[in-house]
Amino acid sequence: MTETILAHSGRTLVAGIIGWPVAYSQSPRLHAYWLAKHGIDGAYIPLPVAPGTLAEAVRGLVALGLRGANVTKPHKEAVMPLIDEITPTAAAIGAVNTLIVGADGRITGTNTDAPGFLANLRASAPTWNPARPAVVLGAGGGARAVCAALLEGGVPEVRLFNRTVEKAEVLARHFAQHHAAPIRALPLTAEAWRAEAADAGVVVNTTSLGMTGNPPLDLDLGVLPADTVVADIVYSPLETPFLAAAAARGLVAVDGLGMLLHQGGVGFEAWFGVRPEVDDALRAYVLKAIRGE
Ligand code: ATR
């Protein structure tokens, strides 16, 4: 019996994830894996915070001596005016997903989705050529992180396709204040796709099309060069119909799970002092939870 007891010491470093609902997050499992692997006296716990109590919860992090927290839906934008400092990446994206409590009690907010996406793209698709234009599909919160990552990664232009082209235009104007390379807003139509995707170095789907329960994304991948990398930020299912079609054509396909794992590593290092690795064993471990095994 005694060997099954997981006791925390009086010095345990604590972080967590603020969201509502938060029960389905894979982050506690991800961080528990790394804490165990590195033998760190730490804990990462779910922090269910209802809308309306976010300000108290954020100050509570400091009062309770937590190292920080991840922030997920629906609080990623609402948390911004409640903290002391916002990194340029988070300001450009317009959302914070990671809070770090400093030794002086000040809270810094950053966004690890962009570096997570970029690190995963580089690791999973070493053939990706950032000197070519990038194509991003969708203009929601996920697209903002992906655009920031690709511009950070050095692409000369992002071609941003969205069903509601006005939303893509708003995003493009916003990013023009933060980055020199342009974002060009385009309608998500077969004609625009054929005309503007043919020289893409990478195509990233950030729309909800292809996610479990939604219709698939229907675009002709035949227009893409043989060395284009195709990525999806969805990880449920792990292989979306769009990624399956890309793989069937022989294109390098990058799924959304790697982005989740890589973004977690940035927060983990800030809270627990070790930059953890993303490896196949971790992928398999988190995948089992996603599949309910
Ligand atoms: P997130 O914050 O997760 O990125 P979101 O802000 O809800 O999610 O954005 C969803 C994206 O999927 C949007 O780009 C949306 O297009 P609109 O801006 O036109 O709504 C896109 N999307 C959702 N359903 C779609 C559909 N049936 N066809 C095309 N695009 C769709």
Side-chain angles (χ1 to χ4, degrees), residues 205 207-217 231-244 254-258 283 287 290-291:
N205 176 43
T207 73
S208 38
L209 296 172
M211 206 185 273
T212 305
N214 289 356
L217 182 62
D232 209 319
I233 65 167
V234 163
Y235 55 82
S236 176
L238 193 60
E239 188 179 58
T240 59
F242 189 56
L243 289 185
V254 178
D255 65 57
L257 180 58
R283 256 183 83 88
L287 204 49
I290 290 170
R291 291 180 172 154

Side-chain angles (χ1 to χ4, degrees), residues 17-22 25 70-76 96-97:
I17 178 162
I18 293 174
W20 188 267
V22 78
S25 169
N70 281 126
V71 181
T72 188
K73 284 183 178 177
H75 300 310
K76 285 185 181 188
V96 158
N97 78 340

Side-chain angles (χ1 to χ4, degrees), residues 65-248:
L66 267 69
R67 304 287 293 167
N70 281 126
V71 181
T72 188
K73 284 183 178 177
H75 300 310
K76 285 185 181 188
E77 290 92 22
V79 77
M80 295 179 80
L82 304 174
I83 57 181
D84 302 298
E85 214 166 300
I86 291 169
T87 62
T89 306
I93 295 169
V96 158
N97 78 340
T98 303
L99 303 177
I100 299 155
V101 180
D104 55 0
R106 285 172 64 81
I107 301 177
T108 300
T110 187
N111 192 310
T112 61
D113 284 334
F117 176 81
L118 190 59
N120 183 51
L121 181 62
R122 285 175 170 154
S124 306
T127 57
W128 169 52
N129 180 359
R132 295 229 306 267
V135 165
V136 177
L137 311 170
R144 285 175 170 258
V146 169
C147 286
L150 292 169
L151 293 170
E152 195 64 37
V155 301
E157 180 181 71
V158 174
R159 296 177 189 158
L160 184 63
F161 292 74
N162 200 42
R163 176 179 60 180
T164 313
V165 74
E166 294 77 16
K167 248 173 92 178
E169 285 164 356
V170 169
L171 196 159
R173 277 199 296 275
H174 172 77
F175 270 80
Q177 302 165 30
H178 298 275
H179 289 277
I183 295 182
R184 201 142 57 81
L186 296 156
L188 185 57
T189 60
E191 300 71 49
W193 165 260
R194 262 197 304 277
E196 302 285 355
D199 58 347
V202 61
V203 175
V204 189
N205 176 43
T206 74
T207 73
S208 38
L209 296 172
M211 206 185 273
T212 305
N214 289 356
L217 182 62
D218 185 23
L219 290 170
D220 176 16
L221 293 176
V223 306
L224 299 174
D227 60 348
T228 302
V229 175
V230 176
D232 209 319
I233 65 167
V234 163
Y235 55 82
S236 176
L238 193 60
E239 188 179 58
T240 59
F242 189 56
L243 289 185

Side-chain angles (χ1 to χ4, degrees), residues 4 21 40 57 138 143 151 154-155 158 180 200 222 236 245 253 278-279 285:
T4 63
I40 293 170
L151 293 170
V155 301
V158 174
S236 176
V278 173
D279 56 22
Y285 180 73

